[in-house]
Amino acid sequence: MSLLAVGTVAFDDIQTPFGHAEKAVGGAATYITLAASYLTNDIRLVSVVGDDFPQATLEEMKKRGIDLAGLQIKQGEKSFFWAGKYHIDMNSRDTLDTQLNVLADFDPVLPEPYKKSEYVMLGNLTPAVQMRVIEQLERPPKFLAMDTMNFWMDNALDNLMEVIQKVDALLINDEEARQLSGEYSLVKAAEKIHKMGPKQLVIKKGEHGALLFEGKHIFFAPALPLAEVFDPTGAGDTFAGGLMGYVAKTGDFSFDNLKKGIIFGSAMASFCVEKFSIEKMLELDSELIKKRLQRFVDLVNFSGIEADI
Amino acid sequence: MSLLAVGTVAFDDIQTPFGHAEKAVGGAATYITLAASYLTNDIRLVSVVGDDFPQATLEEMKKRGIDLAGLQIKQGEKSFFWAGKYHIDMNSRDTLDTQLNVLADFDPVLPEPYKKSEYVMLGNLTPAVQMRVIEQLERPPKFLAMDTMNFWMDNALDNLMEVIQKVDALLINDEEARQLSGEYSLVKAAEKIHKMGPKQLVIKKGEHGALLFEGKHIFFAPALPLAEVFDPTGAGDTFAGGLMGYVAKTGDFSFDNLKKGIIFGSAMASFCVEKFSIEKMLELDSELIKKRLQRFVDLVNFSGIEADI
């Protein structure tokens, strides 16, 4: 079923303890669509790049079945650029540079078929731009999810709250959930955020896994313990792409199915961090993904505990 | 089957964002034995207190089937005392005061029957004292586990390494695992620590759960997301007590059974933090524990994912 992904397609300059990637391909929508492309077809991308963005990457995306009709290419302009440096713990990073470029006046335009998309993932963007996408949808999607970040909580909270009110699921990290709710406990944060609109809340905790809240129900998915994390950039977006790709593939967004979607998302994210930039996300196949999923099953699986007390 | 627990029995002064408990009962062995007492019988305690330690607490422990023949009571002396203040994240704390008192010249003496204990948990203590306990065992226990802390890595590393070499399982937190191994990745840390002796390594990550490593096998147990964490003091020891109580109860320390032990430990720890000091650990019953275990099952349980790729 159709999945619409909106977000940045961009360049990253990434420094980690393992190396330095200059002008590497990145962007939320890049990671979301690539991850989803291993799970479902009919993926539509809405974004904007300058004419500096590599045609080869766009060809790779097309080859993976990603529809780029909604990707604006601005002649004579430059793509969005972000530079960051990760700390040794890989869970925190400093932003060294942000150049909005084409993103400064991005006005998303949905091609006609996109307006009837069944599943929608709004990557982290100016809330007003996210809202512009929602406004163009001709009918409410079956499942609408969004990501955001603390920057918008600091600088565009009113707009952000309007978008949050309209989505089914909000995907943010633990610090963002605490900031948005004013609660330190994630359980209490989830209660407050449910009241803001989203029926489902996914809290991403990086190397500490992810939590799914739906009313009183809680599900926890671990991150895969890895010997090496080369580059965490895009892990959260890859997670979102895996989750939404799975939801779109199965057409099922019940709590039980979202659990599985979160495991898929975690599995895709565990690949993403193994190489710099989108490199790993171009070389997967279903056999590798199957094996990775089995590792998640093994990691948390236990049975027969009820009999022991 | 018999479980020997060695560690402090002490007073804590605890400040958390929720309140202040002065001269509250604490100590590693207190928490270990109380947690284990809900799972198994024949629990033996080796420790030392002054004559200031409340008789009522000792009676409570006896009522729960904990053998106190190995508890030395030093007349005219004071019990070990620790004062600490938790940060808002409850995962980190500052030590405000430490008074060794009776612990300064603690020489553990095992009563005759203790020397044949089948399961042994060495709580965090001076490595030389842990070694004195091992030396008194007449035969190797079926399963010998230990806890320690960064203080001993800084101040008694040689002694510590000798003890570590002799145990089956080492239980430490993530920072300690990183310090001991010199590796940031916990997967790499586990590889190095296995080479130091322990076949099993349990890494406690507080609110982020716990990892069990045995060779190439990894198991992850989440911490239960809670609306309120009143006092994390003793959570790690309670976890160890639940784990070792389960191993002693079942007489099975295979990887598959240790998984379940770690879930039991996590469940007991989730109770521990709900009230100050040992309060909650005195009021549990099998019905409450059963319900709590079910919450862990629900928290991580998913099925049928293999069919979807």
Short mmCIF file of all heavy atoms in Angstrom, two decimals, chain A residues 89 184-185 187-188 205 208 219-220 222 225-228 246 249 259-260 263-264 290 299-303 305 308-309, chain B residues 89 184-185 187-188 205 208 218-220 222 225-228 246 249 259-260 263-264 290 299-303 305 308-309:
data_model
loop_
_atom_site.label_atom_id
_atom_site.label_comp_id
_atom_site.label_asym_id
_atom_site.label_seq_id
_atom_site.Cartn_x
_atom_site.Cartn_y
_atom_site.Cartn_z
N ASP A 89 30.33 8.50 23.22
CA ASP A 89 29.21 7.62 23.57
C ASP A 89 28.26 7.40 22.38
O ASP A 89 27.37 6.56 22.46
CB ASP A 89 28.44 8.16 24.79
CG ASP A 89 27.63 9.42 24.47
OD1 ASP A 89 27.62 9.85 23.30
OD2 ASP A 89 27.01 9.95 25.40
N TYR A 184 9.67 14.07 33.68
CA TYR A 184 10.89 13.28 33.55
C TYR A 184 10.56 11.81 33.26
O TYR A 184 11.16 11.17 32.39
CB TYR A 184 11.79 13.40 34.78
CG TYR A 184 13.10 12.71 34.51
CD1 TYR A 184 14.08 13.36 33.77
CD2 TYR A 184 13.30 11.40 34.87
CE1 TYR A 184 15.25 12.72 33.43
CE2 TYR A 184 14.46 10.74 34.53
CZ TYR A 184 15.44 11.40 33.82
OH TYR A 184 16.58 10.75 33.47
N SER A 185 9.60 11.28 33.99
CA SER A 185 9.20 9.88 33.77
C SER A 185 8.58 9.72 32.39
O SER A 185 7.65 10.45 32.02
CB SER A 185 8.18 9.47 34.84
OG SER A 185 7.37 8.42 34.36
N VAL A 187 6.74 7.35 31.35
CA VAL A 187 5.36 6.89 31.49
C VAL A 187 4.42 8.08 31.64
O VAL A 187 3.38 8.16 30.98
CB VAL A 187 5.23 5.93 32.69
CG1 VAL A 187 3.78 5.56 32.94
CG2 VAL A 187 6.06 4.67 32.47
N LYS A 188 4.81 9.03 32.49
CA LYS A 188 4.00 10.23 32.66
C LYS A 188 4.05 11.11 31.40
O LYS A 188 3.05 11.72 31.02
CB LYS A 188 4.52 11.04 33.85
CG LYS A 188 4.18 10.41 35.19
CD LYS A 188 4.51 11.40 36.29
CE LYS A 188 4.08 10.89 37.63
NZ LYS A 188 4.46 11.86 38.69
N LYS A 205 15.32 5.76 22.12
CA LYS A 205 16.35 5.97 23.14
C LYS A 205 17.75 5.60 22.62
O LYS A 205 18.62 5.23 23.41
CB LYS A 205 16.02 5.17 24.40
CG LYS A 205 14.62 5.50 24.97
CD LYS A 205 14.49 5.15 26.44
CE LYS A 205 14.66 3.66 26.69
NZ LYS A 205 14.79 3.37 28.14
N HIS A 208 19.76 2.58 23.71
CA HIS A 208 18.96 1.95 24.76
C HIS A 208 17.60 1.47 24.26
O HIS A 208 16.74 1.11 25.06
CB HIS A 208 18.77 2.91 25.93
CG HIS A 208 20.05 3.33 26.57
ND1 HIS A 208 20.94 2.43 27.10
CD2 HIS A 208 20.62 4.55 26.73
CE1 HIS A 208 22.00 3.07 27.57
NE2 HIS A 208 21.84 4.36 27.36
N PHE A 219 5.22 -1.24 24.98
CA PHE A 219 6.09 -2.25 24.38
C PHE A 219 7.50 -1.68 24.30
O PHE A 219 7.69 -0.51 24.01
CB PHE A 219 5.60 -2.62 22.98
CG PHE A 219 6.49 -3.59 22.25
CD1 PHE A 219 6.62 -4.90 22.70
CD2 PHE A 219 7.23 -3.18 21.15
CE1 PHE A 219 7.46 -5.79 22.04
CE2 PHE A 219 8.07 -4.06 20.48
CZ PHE A 219 8.18 -5.38 20.94
N PHE A 220 8.45 -2.56 24.57
CA PHE A 220 9.85 -2.13 24.53
C PHE A 220 10.63 -2.97 23.54
O PHE A 220 10.57 -4.19 23.57
CB PHE A 220 10.48 -2.29 25.92
CG PHE A 220 11.93 -1.95 25.92
CD1 PHE A 220 12.35 -0.65 26.08
CD2 PHE A 220 12.89 -2.94 25.72
CE1 PHE A 220 13.69 -0.31 26.04
CE2 PHE A 220 14.23 -2.62 25.67
CZ PHE A 220 14.63 -1.31 25.84
N PRO A 222 14.62 -3.48 22.24
CA PRO A 222 16.01 -3.10 22.50
C PRO A 222 16.71 -2.68 21.21
O PRO A 222 16.25 -3.00 20.12
CB PRO A 222 16.64 -4.39 23.01
CG PRO A 222 15.89 -5.47 22.30
CD PRO A 222 14.47 -4.95 22.16
N PRO A 225 22.88 -4.84 20.60
CA PRO A 225 24.23 -4.49 21.06
C PRO A 225 25.23 -4.80 19.94
O PRO A 225 25.27 -5.92 19.43
CB PRO A 225 24.45 -5.42 22.26
CG PRO A 225 23.08 -5.85 22.69
CD PRO A 225 22.29 -5.92 21.41
N LEU A 226 26.00 -3.81 19.55
CA LEU A 226 26.92 -3.96 18.42
C LEU A 226 28.36 -3.73 18.88
O LEU A 226 28.61 -2.91 19.76
CB LEU A 226 26.59 -2.94 17.33
CG LEU A 226 25.25 -3.12 16.61
CD1 LEU A 226 24.92 -1.89 15.77
CD2 LEU A 226 25.28 -4.37 15.74
N ALA A 227 29.27 -4.45 18.26
CA ALA A 227 30.68 -4.27 18.58
C ALA A 227 31.15 -2.89 18.12
O ALA A 227 31.93 -2.23 18.80
CB ALA A 227 31.52 -5.37 17.95
N GLU A 228 30.66 -2.45 16.98
CA GLU A 228 31.07 -1.15 16.44
C GLU A 228 29.85 -0.38 15.96
O GLU A 228 29.03 -0.92 15.24
CB GLU A 228 31.98 -1.33 15.20
CG GLU A 228 33.21 -2.18 15.39
CD GLU A 228 34.36 -1.44 16.04
OE1 GLU A 228 34.13 -0.35 16.60
OE2 GLU A 228 35.48 -1.97 15.99
N TYR A 246 6.78 -1.32 7.31
CA TYR A 246 6.11 -2.54 7.77
C TYR A 246 4.60 -2.32 7.90
O TYR A 246 3.79 -3.17 7.52
CB TYR A 246 6.70 -3.01 9.10
CG TYR A 246 6.10 -4.30 9.56
CD1 TYR A 246 6.39 -5.50 8.91
CD2 TYR A 246 5.22 -4.34 10.63
CE1 TYR A 246 5.83 -6.69 9.31
CE2 TYR A 246 4.64 -5.53 11.04
CZ TYR A 246 4.95 -6.70 10.39
OH TYR A 246 4.39 -7.88 10.79
N LYS A 249 3.22 -2.17 4.43
CA LYS A 249 3.25 -3.51 3.81
C LYS A 249 2.08 -4.36 4.29
O LYS A 249 1.44 -5.07 3.51
CB LYS A 249 4.56 -4.19 4.19
CG LYS A 249 4.68 -5.68 3.82
CD LYS A 249 5.86 -6.30 4.59
CE LYS A 249 5.98 -7.78 4.36
NZ LYS A 249 6.60 -8.11 3.08
N LYS A 259 4.09 -3.29 17.29
CA LYS A 259 5.22 -3.93 18.00
C LYS A 259 6.20 -4.51 16.99
O LYS A 259 7.41 -4.29 17.06
CB LYS A 259 4.72 -5.10 18.86
CG LYS A 259 4.01 -4.78 20.12
CD LYS A 259 3.73 -6.13 20.79
CE LYS A 259 2.77 -6.08 21.92
NZ LYS A 259 2.56 -7.44 22.50
N LYS A 260 5.64 -5.28 16.05
CA LYS A 260 6.50 -5.92 15.05
C LYS A 260 7.16 -4.87 14.16
O LYS A 260 8.33 -4.99 13.79
CB LYS A 260 5.70 -6.93 14.22
CG LYS A 260 5.26 -8.14 15.05
CD LYS A 260 4.79 -9.29 14.19
CE LYS A 260 3.30 -9.25 13.99
NZ LYS A 260 2.82 -10.39 13.19
N ILE A 263 10.14 -3.59 15.87
CA ILE A 263 11.28 -4.52 15.77
C ILE A 263 11.92 -4.41 14.38
O ILE A 263 13.15 -4.38 14.25
CB ILE A 263 10.81 -5.97 16.06
CG1 ILE A 263 10.32 -6.11 17.50
CG2 ILE A 263 11.95 -6.97 15.76
CD1 ILE A 263 11.39 -6.01 18.57
N PHE A 264 11.09 -4.32 13.33
CA PHE A 264 11.65 -4.10 11.99
C PHE A 264 12.45 -2.81 11.95
O PHE A 264 13.57 -2.76 11.40
CB PHE A 264 10.53 -4.03 10.93
CG PHE A 264 10.26 -5.34 10.27
CD1 PHE A 264 9.28 -6.19 10.74
CD2 PHE A 264 11.01 -5.74 9.16
CE1 PHE A 264 9.04 -7.41 10.13
CE2 PHE A 264 10.77 -6.96 8.54
CZ PHE A 264 9.79 -7.79 9.03
N LYS A 290 16.28 -10.93 7.44
CA LYS A 290 15.73 -12.07 8.17
C LYS A 290 16.66 -12.52 9.30
O LYS A 290 16.24 -12.77 10.42
CB LYS A 290 15.52 -13.23 7.17
CG LYS A 290 14.39 -14.14 7.50
CD LYS A 290 14.20 -15.13 6.35
CE LYS A 290 12.73 -15.30 6.02
NZ LYS A 290 12.50 -16.05 4.80
N LEU A 299 17.47 -12.09 21.21
CA LEU A 299 17.93 -11.13 22.22
C LEU A 299 16.94 -10.97 23.36
O LEU A 299 17.34 -10.76 24.51
CB LEU A 299 18.17 -9.78 21.53
CG LEU A 299 18.77 -8.66 22.37
CD1 LEU A 299 20.15 -9.02 22.88
CD2 LEU A 299 18.83 -7.37 21.56
N VAL A 300 15.64 -11.04 23.05
CA VAL A 300 14.64 -10.77 24.10
C VAL A 300 13.78 -11.96 24.44
O VAL A 300 12.98 -11.91 25.38
CB VAL A 300 13.70 -9.60 23.71
CG1 VAL A 300 14.50 -8.32 23.51
CG2 VAL A 300 12.88 -9.93 22.47
N ASN A 301 13.94 -13.04 23.71
CA ASN A 301 13.04 -14.17 23.89
C ASN A 301 13.33 -14.96 25.16
O ASN A 301 14.45 -15.35 25.43
CB ASN A 301 13.18 -15.10 22.68
CG ASN A 301 12.21 -16.25 22.75
OD1 ASN A 301 11.03 -16.04 22.94
ND2 ASN A 301 12.73 -17.46 22.62
N PHE A 302 12.29 -15.17 25.95
CA PHE A 302 12.37 -16.12 27.07
C PHE A 302 10.99 -16.72 27.18
O PHE A 302 10.01 -16.14 26.72
CB PHE A 302 12.79 -15.43 28.37
CG PHE A 302 11.83 -14.40 28.85
CD1 PHE A 302 10.82 -14.72 29.74
CD2 PHE A 302 11.91 -13.09 28.39
CE1 PHE A 302 9.91 -13.76 30.18
CE2 PHE A 302 11.00 -12.12 28.82
CZ PHE A 302 10.00 -12.47 29.72
N SER A 303 10.89 -17.88 27.81
CA SER A 303 9.57 -18.49 27.88
C SER A 303 9.42 -19.35 29.10
O SER A 303 10.41 -19.79 29.70
CB SER A 303 9.31 -19.33 26.62
OG SER A 303 10.24 -20.39 26.59
N ILE A 305 8.19 -18.59 32.05
CA ILE A 305 8.45 -18.00 33.36
C ILE A 305 7.24 -18.10 34.28
O ILE A 305 7.38 -18.18 35.50
CB ILE A 305 8.90 -16.52 33.19
CG1 ILE A 305 9.74 -16.10 34.38
CG2 ILE A 305 7.72 -15.59 32.97
CD1 ILE A 305 10.61 -14.91 34.10
N ASP A 308 6.99 -20.70 37.08
CA ASP A 308 8.05 -20.79 38.08
C ASP A 308 7.78 -20.07 39.38
O ASP A 308 8.65 -20.00 40.24
CB ASP A 308 9.36 -20.29 37.50
CG ASP A 308 9.96 -21.29 36.53
OD1 ASP A 308 9.91 -22.49 36.84
OD2 ASP A 308 10.44 -20.88 35.47
N ILE A 309 6.62 -19.50 39.52
CA ILE A 309 6.41 -18.76 40.76
C ILE A 309 5.25 -19.38 41.56
O ILE A 309 4.31 -19.92 40.99
CB ILE A 309 6.15 -17.25 40.48
CG1 ILE A 309 6.17 -16.48 41.77
CG2 ILE A 309 4.93 -16.99 39.66
CD1 ILE A 309 7.54 -16.08 42.23
N ASP B 89 17.71 12.45 37.19
CA ASP B 89 17.57 11.32 36.27
C ASP B 89 17.53 9.99 37.01
O ASP B 89 17.25 8.96 36.43
CB ASP B 89 18.67 11.32 35.20
CG ASP B 89 20.05 10.97 35.76
OD1 ASP B 89 20.16 10.67 36.98
OD2 ASP B 89 21.02 11.01 35.00
N TYR B 184 34.57 0.87 25.04
CA TYR B 184 33.28 1.57 25.15
C TYR B 184 32.12 0.66 24.75
O TYR B 184 31.11 0.58 25.43
CB TYR B 184 33.26 2.86 24.32
CG TYR B 184 32.01 3.61 24.63
CD1 TYR B 184 31.94 4.42 25.76
CD2 TYR B 184 30.86 3.43 23.86
CE1 TYR B 184 30.77 5.06 26.11
CE2 TYR B 184 29.68 4.07 24.21
CZ TYR B 184 29.64 4.88 25.33
OH TYR B 184 28.46 5.49 25.67
N SER B 185 32.28 -0.07 23.67
CA SER B 185 31.23 -0.99 23.22
C SER B 185 31.06 -2.11 24.25
O SER B 185 32.03 -2.78 24.64
CB SER B 185 31.62 -1.60 21.87
OG SER B 185 30.98 -2.85 21.69
N VAL B 187 29.65 -4.91 23.83
CA VAL B 187 29.93 -6.21 23.19
C VAL B 187 31.42 -6.52 23.29
O VAL B 187 31.82 -7.64 23.64
CB VAL B 187 29.46 -6.20 21.72
CG1 VAL B 187 29.90 -7.47 21.00
CG2 VAL B 187 27.95 -6.04 21.64
N LYS B 188 32.24 -5.52 22.99
CA LYS B 188 33.69 -5.72 23.11
C LYS B 188 34.11 -5.86 24.57
O LYS B 188 35.01 -6.64 24.89
CB LYS B 188 34.42 -4.54 22.48
CG LYS B 188 34.36 -4.52 20.97
CD LYS B 188 35.32 -3.46 20.48
CE LYS B 188 35.39 -3.45 18.96
NZ LYS B 188 36.32 -2.42 18.50
N LYS B 205 22.08 -1.73 33.51
CA LYS B 205 22.03 -0.39 32.94
C LYS B 205 20.94 0.47 33.58
O LYS B 205 20.42 1.40 32.96
CB LYS B 205 21.82 -0.47 31.42
CG LYS B 205 22.88 -1.32 30.71
CD LYS B 205 22.98 -1.00 29.23
CE LYS B 205 21.71 -1.27 28.48
NZ LYS B 205 21.74 -0.71 27.12
N HIS B 208 17.69 1.54 31.95
CA HIS B 208 17.79 1.03 30.57
C HIS B 208 17.89 -0.49 30.52
O HIS B 208 18.17 -1.05 29.46
CB HIS B 208 18.99 1.65 29.87
CG HIS B 208 18.90 3.15 29.77
ND1 HIS B 208 17.83 3.78 29.18
CD2 HIS B 208 19.71 4.13 30.22
CE1 HIS B 208 18.01 5.09 29.26
NE2 HIS B 208 19.13 5.33 29.89
N ILE B 218 23.73 -13.28 23.63
CA ILE B 218 23.36 -12.06 24.36
C ILE B 218 21.86 -12.09 24.64
O ILE B 218 21.07 -12.45 23.77
CB ILE B 218 23.66 -10.78 23.54
CG1 ILE B 218 25.07 -10.80 22.96
CG2 ILE B 218 23.47 -9.54 24.41
CD1 ILE B 218 25.39 -9.56 22.12
N PHE B 219 21.51 -11.73 25.85
CA PHE B 219 20.10 -11.58 26.21
C PHE B 219 19.90 -10.21 26.83
O PHE B 219 20.74 -9.74 27.59
CB PHE B 219 19.67 -12.66 27.21
CG PHE B 219 18.26 -12.51 27.69
CD1 PHE B 219 17.18 -12.70 26.81
CD2 PHE B 219 17.99 -12.18 29.02
CE1 PHE B 219 15.87 -12.57 27.26
CE2 PHE B 219 16.67 -12.04 29.47
CZ PHE B 219 15.62 -12.24 28.59
N PHE B 220 18.78 -9.59 26.48
CA PHE B 220 18.49 -8.27 27.02
C PHE B 220 17.17 -8.27 27.78
O PHE B 220 16.17 -8.76 27.26
CB PHE B 220 18.40 -7.25 25.87
CG PHE B 220 18.01 -5.90 26.36
CD1 PHE B 220 18.96 -5.01 26.83
CD2 PHE B 220 16.68 -5.52 26.40
CE1 PHE B 220 18.60 -3.77 27.32
CE2 PHE B 220 16.31 -4.28 26.89
CZ PHE B 220 17.26 -3.41 27.35
N PRO B 222 14.56 -5.58 29.70
CA PRO B 222 14.31 -4.15 29.94
C PRO B 222 14.04 -3.90 31.43
O PRO B 222 13.70 -4.82 32.16
CB PRO B 222 13.04 -3.89 29.14
CG PRO B 222 12.30 -5.17 29.19
CD PRO B 222 13.36 -6.26 29.18
N PRO B 225 9.18 0.35 32.62
CA PRO B 225 8.96 1.81 32.68
C PRO B 225 7.96 2.13 33.80
O PRO B 225 6.87 1.56 33.83
CB PRO B 225 8.36 2.13 31.30
CG PRO B 225 8.72 0.96 30.43
CD PRO B 225 8.72 -0.22 31.35
N LEU B 226 8.36 2.99 34.72
CA LEU B 226 7.54 3.28 35.89
C LEU B 226 7.17 4.76 35.91
O LEU B 226 7.96 5.61 35.50
CB LEU B 226 8.30 2.95 37.17
CG LEU B 226 8.59 1.46 37.42
CD1 LEU B 226 9.58 1.30 38.56
CD2 LEU B 226 7.30 0.71 37.73
N ALA B 227 5.97 5.05 36.41
CA ALA B 227 5.55 6.45 36.53
C ALA B 227 6.40 7.16 37.58
O ALA B 227 6.76 8.32 37.42
CB ALA B 227 4.08 6.53 36.88
N GLU B 228 6.72 6.47 38.66
CA GLU B 228 7.51 7.07 39.73
C GLU B 228 8.62 6.12 40.15
O GLU B 228 8.35 4.95 40.41
CB GLU B 228 6.66 7.31 40.99
CG GLU B 228 5.41 8.12 40.80
CD GLU B 228 5.66 9.62 40.76
OE1 GLU B 228 6.84 10.01 40.57
OE2 GLU B 228 4.70 10.37 40.88
N TYR B 246 16.46 -17.19 41.95
CA TYR B 246 15.84 -18.02 40.92
C TYR B 246 16.76 -19.17 40.52
O TYR B 246 16.32 -20.31 40.34
CB TYR B 246 15.47 -17.18 39.70
CG TYR B 246 14.77 -17.98 38.65
CD1 TYR B 246 13.45 -18.40 38.84
CD2 TYR B 246 15.41 -18.34 37.47
CE1 TYR B 246 12.80 -19.16 37.89
CE2 TYR B 246 14.75 -19.10 36.51
CZ TYR B 246 13.45 -19.51 36.73
OH TYR B 246 12.80 -20.28 35.79
N LYS B 249 16.68 -21.66 43.35
CA LYS B 249 15.38 -22.34 43.39
C LYS B 249 15.31 -23.45 42.35
O LYS B 249 14.85 -24.56 42.62
CB LYS B 249 14.28 -21.32 43.11
CG LYS B 249 12.87 -21.89 42.92
CD LYS B 249 11.97 -20.82 42.30
CE LYS B 249 10.59 -21.34 41.97
NZ LYS B 249 9.70 -21.37 43.13
N LYS B 259 18.41 -16.38 31.65
CA LYS B 259 17.52 -15.37 31.06
C LYS B 259 16.33 -15.13 31.97
O LYS B 259 15.97 -13.99 32.27
CB LYS B 259 16.95 -15.89 29.73
CG LYS B 259 17.86 -15.92 28.55
CD LYS B 259 17.00 -16.39 27.37
CE LYS B 259 17.76 -16.72 26.14
NZ LYS B 259 16.84 -17.17 25.06
N LYS B 260 15.71 -16.23 32.39
CA LYS B 260 14.52 -16.10 33.24
C LYS B 260 14.91 -15.52 34.59
O LYS B 260 14.19 -14.70 35.16
CB LYS B 260 13.83 -17.47 33.39
CG LYS B 260 13.22 -17.95 32.10
CD LYS B 260 12.25 -19.08 32.31
CE LYS B 260 12.91 -20.44 32.16
NZ LYS B 260 11.95 -21.54 32.34
N ILE B 263 15.01 -11.87 34.26
CA ILE B 263 13.67 -11.27 34.27
C ILE B 263 13.13 -11.20 35.71
O ILE B 263 12.57 -10.19 36.13
CB ILE B 263 12.71 -12.08 33.36
CG1 ILE B 263 13.18 -11.99 31.89
CG2 ILE B 263 11.28 -11.58 33.50
CD1 ILE B 263 13.02 -10.63 31.23
N PHE B 264 13.33 -12.28 36.47
CA PHE B 264 12.94 -12.24 37.88
C PHE B 264 13.68 -11.11 38.61
O PHE B 264 13.08 -10.36 39.38
CB PHE B 264 13.27 -13.57 38.58
CG PHE B 264 12.12 -14.52 38.63
CD1 PHE B 264 11.95 -15.48 37.65
CD2 PHE B 264 11.18 -14.45 39.64
CE1 PHE B 264 10.88 -16.35 37.67
CE2 PHE B 264 10.10 -15.31 39.68
CZ PHE B 264 9.94 -16.27 38.70
N LYS B 290 3.85 -12.47 40.44
CA LYS B 290 3.32 -13.08 39.23
C LYS B 290 2.78 -12.02 38.27
O LYS B 290 3.04 -12.04 37.06
CB LYS B 290 2.17 -14.03 39.62
CG LYS B 290 1.96 -15.19 38.70
CD LYS B 290 0.93 -16.14 39.30
CE LYS B 290 1.40 -17.58 39.21
NZ LYS B 290 0.54 -18.51 39.95
N LEU B 299 5.65 -6.60 27.99
CA LEU B 299 6.51 -5.48 27.57
C LEU B 299 7.40 -5.84 26.38
O LEU B 299 7.68 -4.98 25.54
CB LEU B 299 7.37 -5.06 28.76
CG LEU B 299 8.26 -3.83 28.60
CD1 LEU B 299 7.43 -2.59 28.34
CD2 LEU B 299 9.14 -3.63 29.84
N VAL B 300 7.85 -7.07 26.32
CA VAL B 300 8.81 -7.43 25.27
C VAL B 300 8.28 -8.46 24.28
O VAL B 300 8.93 -8.76 23.29
CB VAL B 300 10.14 -7.98 25.85
CG1 VAL B 300 10.81 -6.93 26.70
CG2 VAL B 300 9.91 -9.25 26.64
N ASN B 301 7.10 -8.97 24.56
CA ASN B 301 6.60 -10.08 23.76
C ASN B 301 6.09 -9.63 22.38
O ASN B 301 5.32 -8.70 22.26
CB ASN B 301 5.44 -10.73 24.53
CG ASN B 301 4.91 -11.93 23.80
OD1 ASN B 301 5.68 -12.81 23.43
ND2 ASN B 301 3.61 -11.96 23.57
N PHE B 302 6.57 -10.30 21.35
CA PHE B 302 6.00 -10.14 20.02
C PHE B 302 6.16 -11.48 19.34
O PHE B 302 7.00 -12.29 19.73
CB PHE B 302 6.71 -9.04 19.23
CG PHE B 302 8.16 -9.31 18.96
CD1 PHE B 302 8.56 -9.96 17.81
CD2 PHE B 302 9.12 -8.95 19.89
CE1 PHE B 302 9.90 -10.23 17.57
CE2 PHE B 302 10.47 -9.21 19.65
CZ PHE B 302 10.86 -9.85 18.49
N SER B 303 5.37 -11.73 18.33
CA SER B 303 5.47 -13.05 17.71
C SER B 303 5.10 -13.00 16.25
O SER B 303 4.42 -12.09 15.79
CB SER B 303 4.57 -14.04 18.46
OG SER B 303 3.24 -13.63 18.31
N ILE B 305 7.03 -12.66 13.63
CA ILE B 305 7.73 -11.72 12.75
C ILE B 305 8.44 -12.44 11.60
O ILE B 305 8.61 -11.87 10.51
CB ILE B 305 8.72 -10.89 13.59
CG1 ILE B 305 8.99 -9.55 12.89
CG2 ILE B 305 10.04 -11.63 13.86
CD1 ILE B 305 9.56 -8.51 13.81
N ASP B 308 6.99 -12.48 8.04
CA ASP B 308 6.67 -11.23 7.36
C ASP B 308 7.73 -10.71 6.42
O ASP B 308 7.58 -9.62 5.87
CB ASP B 308 6.34 -10.17 8.39
CG ASP B 308 4.99 -10.38 9.03
OD1 ASP B 308 4.06 -10.74 8.29
OD2 ASP B 308 4.87 -10.21 10.24
N ILE B 309 8.78 -11.45 6.26
CA ILE B 309 9.82 -10.89 5.39
C ILE B 309 10.00 -11.75 4.16
O ILE B 309 9.84 -12.94 4.18
CB ILE B 309 11.16 -10.69 6.16
CG1 ILE B 309 12.15 -9.88 5.35
CG2 ILE B 309 11.76 -11.97 6.62
CD1 ILE B 309 11.92 -8.42 5.41
#
